């Protein structure tokens, strides 16, 4: 039986790397699939990993219809055994329902990858619908770490090293801190609640209380 699976974790825990590995593994067994993504850091129509790996992908925009796309491919003689869907948090609830329909009615395996919550610790619409519909949800075992060394559980948006809690939900950035551009940092819940980013910790805490030999890293 085909399944709708959701692999989730914070930023920087290897989701895109696993998505590429999943595609490779299934191709190696003679299966044919499609890769989908949305708002990847490397640009449109590409699935990229911070390790430097990448693959061509179908860009999922707001108007994209998974059901129409797959049915069109199949009626033209194509074959699709599975779908790898990265950045699934950015998909709409309707698009997640379309993916579930592919599983139930066409027996196509769907592997989704994404983060659960945004910089305000609020569920993304796509992630919320996946939690409700997925046959199985798996937390990635590669743990991203907060600057304090504890397991990171929350994604923070920063500007100039300071955590912000207002703004549009979708602002694409990376893990590198820039002076005036939005960037992202993973934090443990305690420091997310206190808005204590790595830059702020370095500026306000004494070296004796910082981990890793006196530097927040």
């Amino acid at each position: 039986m085909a399944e709708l699976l959701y692999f989730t974790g914070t930023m920087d825990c290897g989701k895109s790397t696993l998505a590429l590995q999943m595609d490779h593994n299934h191709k190696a067994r003679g299966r044919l699939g499609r890769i989908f993504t949305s708002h990847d850091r490397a640009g449109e129509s590409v699935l990229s990993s911070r390790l430097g790996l990448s693959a061509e992908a179908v860009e999922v925009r707001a108007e994209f219809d998974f059901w129409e796309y797959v049915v069109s491919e199949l009626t033209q003689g194509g074959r699709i055994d599975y779908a790898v869907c990265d950045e699934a948090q950015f998909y709409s609830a309707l698009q997640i329902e379309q993916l579930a329909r592919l599983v139930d009615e066409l027996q196509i395996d769907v592997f989704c990858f994404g983060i659960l919550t945004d910089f305000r610790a609020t569920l993304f619409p796509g992630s919320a619908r996946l939690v409700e519909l997925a046959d199985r949800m798996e937390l990635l075992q590669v743990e991203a770490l907060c600057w304090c060394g504890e397991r990171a559980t929350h994604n923070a948006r920063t500007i100039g090293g300071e955590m912000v809690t207002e703004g549009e939900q979708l602002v694409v950035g990376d893990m590198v801190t820039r002076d005036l551009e939005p960037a992202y940092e993973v934090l443990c819940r305690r420091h997310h609640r206190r808005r204590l980013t790595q830059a702020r910790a370095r500026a306000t805490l004494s070296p004796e209380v910082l981990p890793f030999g006196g530097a927040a890293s």
Side-chain angles (χ1 to χ4, degrees):
M1 294 290 291
E3 289 186 302
L4 173 61
L5 305 182
Y6 189 30
F7 299 88
T8 186
T10 62
M11 293 180 294
D12 207 27
C13 72
K15 295 181 302 299
S16 296
T17 301
L18 180 58
L20 290 165
Q21 184 67 49
M22 185 77 75
D23 178 62
H24 170 78
N25 290 349
H26 283 265
K27 281 182 177 177
R29 295 297 177 266
R31 306 189 79 202
L32 299 180
R34 298 290 189 280
I35 299 176
F36 301 90
T37 192
S38 180
H39 299 92
D40 189 277
R41 69 185 69 84
E44 288 194 355
S45 303
V46 61
L47 191 167
S48 68
S49 163
R50 288 189 175 89
L51 296 182
L53 305 173
S54 65
E56 293 184 3
V58 177
E59 184 72 18
V60 178
R61 299 181 177 87
E63 69 278 7
F64 186 82
D65 189 310
F66 282 99
W67 179 262
E68 288 186 0
Y69 175 90
V70 170
V71 169
S72 176
E73 290 285 295
L74 296 179
T75 55
Q76 295 180 51
R79 174 183 157 194
I80 301 178
D81 300 315
Y82 64 92
V84 170
C85 302
D86 198 30
E87 306 291 0
Q89 73 272 8
F90 296 142
Y91 302 175
S92 69
L94 177 58
Q95 288 169 332
I96 300 302
E97 292 166 13
Q98 293 163 0
L99 291 173
R101 187 181 179 189
L102 295 179
V103 175
D104 295 340
E105 299 187 25
L106 298 181
Q107 291 299 300
I108 293 174
D109 286 311
V110 175
F111 309 111
C112 293
F113 302 81
I115 59 179
L116 283 176
T117 59
D118 63 15
F119 67 103
R120 299 164 298 190
T122 300
L123 282 169
F124 283 98
S127 294
R129 199 68 181 122
L130 275 165
V131 170
E132 295 164 343
L133 294 181
D135 295 297
R136 184 157 39 98
M137 189 171 73
E138 295 192 9
L139 184 65
L140 269 65
Q141 297 304 305
V142 176
E143 294 185 351
L145 299 179
C146 177
W147 61 263
C148 68
E150 296 296 323
R151 177 174 173 266
T153 56
H154 289 65
N155 307 294
R157 180 181 295 170
T158 65
I159 295 181
E162 293 291 326
M163 179 174 157
V164 295
T165 58
E166 296 182 356
E168 295 292 330
Q169 186 178 57
L170 175 54
V171 176
V172 178
D174 210 336
M175 300 288 289
V176 179
T177 302
R178 302 175 178 86
D179 290 339
L180 298 176
E181 297 180 17
Y184 291 90
E185 180 178 345
V186 290
L187 299 172
C188 63
R189 186 183 65 231
R190 177 165 59 102
H191 288 133
H192 189 275
R193 290 180 62 248
R194 293 172 58 190
R195 304 188 186 183
L196 192 57
T197 63
Q198 175 176 290
R200 188 160 170 251
R202 282 176 170 162
T204 60
L205 300 182
S206 63
E208 291 77 14
V209 301
L210 294 176
F212 311 122
S217 58

